[in-house]
Amino acid sequence: MWEFYNGTADAHPMHIHERLFRVVDRQPINVVEVDPTMDHGESMGGSFEVVPGSLPIPPEPWENGWKDTVIAYPGQVTRVAMRFDNPGQYVWHCHIVEHEDNEMMRPYRIGPEQPGQPVPHAMGGMRMAGAQDPTSEGNDSQSA
């Protein structure tokens, strides 16, 4: 089960590569804290909670069946259920190109690290498996 929390004023069409899923439900959320450095009242960087006492909202009629993209509506958590049975490195992202190009695309891994796949490193971001970490001064130890 994945949950997409949308604390922005925009709807985001979220696409998960190499997975088909079913939309489970949505539920209203509150922004608990906001990063004061963000402009225009955006809530990116804040945390969220499901509105106490709210009930899950079932999927829209057109959302029945298997999907690879779901709309994450503003002020809601959108829940999707999927099965992971193929190991590998994949990505999920917002289908709005400007968002995809500005950090709304993220990798995810199913199973153990495999040769040639990006791996996390101590400075954030990703590097290729087996690549030298420039912060390690010759030590190629990997942090997860």
Side-chain angles (χ1 to χ4, degrees):
M1 179 85 68
W2 277 23
E3 296 181 323
F4 293 102
Y5 287 80
N6 185 354
T8 72
D10 299 318
H12 297 279
M14 303 307 297
H15 175 65
I16 303 171
H17 281 223
E18 302 298 325
R19 287 298 104 202
L20 291 177
F21 56 82
R22 292 193 181 267
V23 179
V24 176
D25 61 29
R26 293 180 175 87
Q27 204 161 353
I29 58 172
N30 288 324
V31 176
V32 176
E33 61 183 58
V34 177
D35 182 341
T37 63
M38 297 300 293
D39 292 332
H40 311 295
E42 296 174 3
S43 61
M44 304 252 330
S47 61
F48 309 97
E49 69 178 5
V50 172
V51 172
S54 67
L55 297 174
I57 303 161
E60 303 289 350
W62 61 85
E63 294 179 313
N64 291 327
W66 295 103
K67 305 293 178 195
D68 68 358
T69 303
V70 64
I71 299 174
Y73 292 118
Q76 294 184 345
V77 56
T78 301
R79 297 182 184 96
V80 299
M82 63 194 119
R83 182 190 237 345
F84 294 101
D85 51 7
N86 297 328
Q89 181 83 18
Y90 307 102
V91 297
W92 63 271
H93 60 89
C94 178
H95 254 294
I96 298 172
V97 175
E98 293 83 7
H99 295 180
E100 185 177 316
D101 290 344
N102 289 289
E103 304 297 325
M104 264 186 105
M105 176 178 274
R106 294 286 183 221
Y108 70 95
R109 174 179 294 120
I110 303 304
E113 293 176 8
Q114 298 169 342
Q117 289 186 333
V119 295
H121 65 86
M123 297 300 291
M126 303 296 278
R127 65 183 175 91
M128 295 304 289
Q132 181 66 38
D133 182 346
T135 64
S136 67
E137 297 182 19
N139 180 0
D140 195 30
S141 62
Q142 299 174 1
S143 306

